[in-house]
Amino acid sequence: MALIAALFPGQGSQSVGMGRDLSEHWPSAADVFATVDRALSCPLSELCWNGPEDDLKLTENTQPALLAHSIAAWSVLSGAGLTVGGVAGHSLGEYSAVVAAGGLDAADAARTVRLRGRLMQAAVPVGEGAMAAVIGLDDEQVEAACQAEEAAGGGAVAAVNFNSPGQLVIAGAAAAVAGAGERCKGLGARRVLPLPVSAPFHSPLMAPAREGLEPTLRELDFQTLEVPLYRNVDAAAVTAPGDVRDGLIRQVDAPVLWSAIIRRMLADGFNTFVEVGTGNVLCGLVRRIDKNAVCYPAGTVETVEKVIAELT
């Protein structure tokens, strides 16, 4: 019997047109986009569906847009009878996971992630921070390269996304990221790819954003989750409101331990995953972590209908 977990994508998966077909096909999906539009007092749905892409890529728009698409898709899946035993979300996606598990309403989540995006962008001036994906080294080698660059006076840089074996992301001051990337190449990295992002997310340089967001998260009315959330900061499975809030506060400037999350879920018996929302990045990571795991994308009418047909 399949034990199913729902996974929710983070920043980088966005694309113009996201969620339009769901909203045209299912009233529940259209209702989610309308709820987010009202919560933000702006037509975010129009930006999701029609662009322009440059505006959609602004962090303060990207974050609520991805959340809206994920929750719209989830509303259809859950309405059709999909039941899951746990949830997890990559970075921003942790908010979508909390909403899906009944811990927060979509309007509060949308307002919070818009603020989160603004604070993360403001924490480091554009051009001063950077992120890069490192392919082909183990975790310890990448961490050693970052530590060596910092010790040499290159500036702040750290491993921030532990995505899958041999795929990590580093972030920090732009010069330090470049320097650590060169050190990774020297250690045998197959590729070091600068990422098209506007800030060094999840690095210690995001501390001002965490401090700015914490009061809002402290005020939100979190509910006990209906199923466990596997947290970004430590891969712990939590349901209590205080534990959920604590994880969302800490993850702003702490690494995303995605490999550990998926391994913990596999150890807990999950063998089937559904990536709810835009793209299929997380399905790719799941298969890199365990080639026997099954993962379904669910963000378009076609893929959502497939999940409903095969898993409900």
Side-chain angles (χ1 to χ4, degrees):
M1 181 176 172
L3 183 57
I4 304 168
L7 308 178
F8 296 86
Q11 203 157 338
S13 296
Q14 67 276 1
S15 60
V16 173
M18 53 193 278
R20 177 198 282 272
D21 64 336
L22 298 181
S23 296
E24 292 174 345
H25 203 75
W26 286 291
S28 63
D31 287 346
V32 170
F33 276 100
T35 295
V36 172
D37 285 354
R38 287 193 299 272
L40 301 180
S41 300
C42 77
L44 185 76
S45 57
E46 286 298 312
L47 182 60
C48 291
W49 301 338
N50 300 311
E53 185 177 5
D54 284 348
D55 288 350
L56 183 60
K57 287 196 298 187
L58 294 173
T59 298
E60 67 178 74
N61 294 329
T62 305
Q63 297 202 18
L66 286 164
L67 179 131
H69 186 189
S70 284
I71 300 308
W74 177 253
S75 73
V76 176
L77 292 167
S78 58
L82 180 71
T83 57
V84 300
V87 295
H90 193 287
S91 183
L92 158 77
E94 191 159 82
Y95 285 82
S96 304
V98 171
V99 174
L104 197 60
D105 71 43
D108 280 342
R111 285 187 288 264
T112 304
V113 299
R114 165 154 279 189
L115 174 62
R116 179 179 184 267
R118 287 174 172 163
L119 291 168
M120 291 173 91
Q121 185 59 71
V124 179
V126 174
E128 292 188 13
M131 300 181 77
V134 179
I135 312 298
L137 293 182
D138 62 33
D139 295 359
E140 292 76 18
Q141 288 174 300
V142 177
E143 290 178 304
C146 292
Q147 290 163 4
E149 182 65 21
E150 284 198 331
V157 60
V160 297
N161 291 352
F162 293 81
N163 284 334
S164 67
Q167 183 185 330
L168 276 75
V169 174
I170 61 175
V177 170
E182 290 302 315
R183 292 177 188 273
C184 288
K185 291 176 185 176
L187 292 171
R190 291 202 306 274
R191 300 176 76 185
V192 177
L193 304 171
L195 299 181
V197 297
S198 52
F201 303 127
H202 297 290
S203 77
L205 297 178
M206 288 288 108
R210 171 179 46 79
E211 292 162 5
L213 187 62
E214 182 170 353
T216 294
L217 287 169
R218 294 270 177 220
E219 292 171 5
L220 286 180
D221 183 23
F222 286 93
Q223 304 298 308
T224 300
L225 303 190
E226 296 159 8
V227 295
L229 166 77
Y230 289 73
R231 299 195 302 188
N232 280 209
V233 293
D234 54 10
V238 301
T239 57
D243 293 332
V244 173
R245 179 186 287 110
D246 173 64
L248 291 173
I249 291 168
R250 289 166 55 200
Q251 58 126 283
V252 177
D253 60 346
V256 175
L257 305 183
W258 192 252
S259 288
I261 287 171
I262 299 303
R263 289 195 184 100
R264 171 80 188 271
M265 289 180 135
L266 291 165
D268 286 352
F270 292 97
N271 55 17
T272 302
F273 299 87
V274 180
E275 180 173 359
V276 185
T278 315
N280 59 4
V281 169
L282 300 183
C283 281
L285 296 180
V286 167
R287 284 188 285 267
R288 285 177 62 97
I289 294 164
D290 183 345
K291 64 181 186 299
N292 296 315
V294 176
C295 189
Y296 294 79
T300 65
V301 169
E302 180 182 4
T303 55
V304 166
E305 287 183 334
K306 180 178 180 181
V307 168
I308 291 169
E310 297 190 15
L311 297 182
T312 63

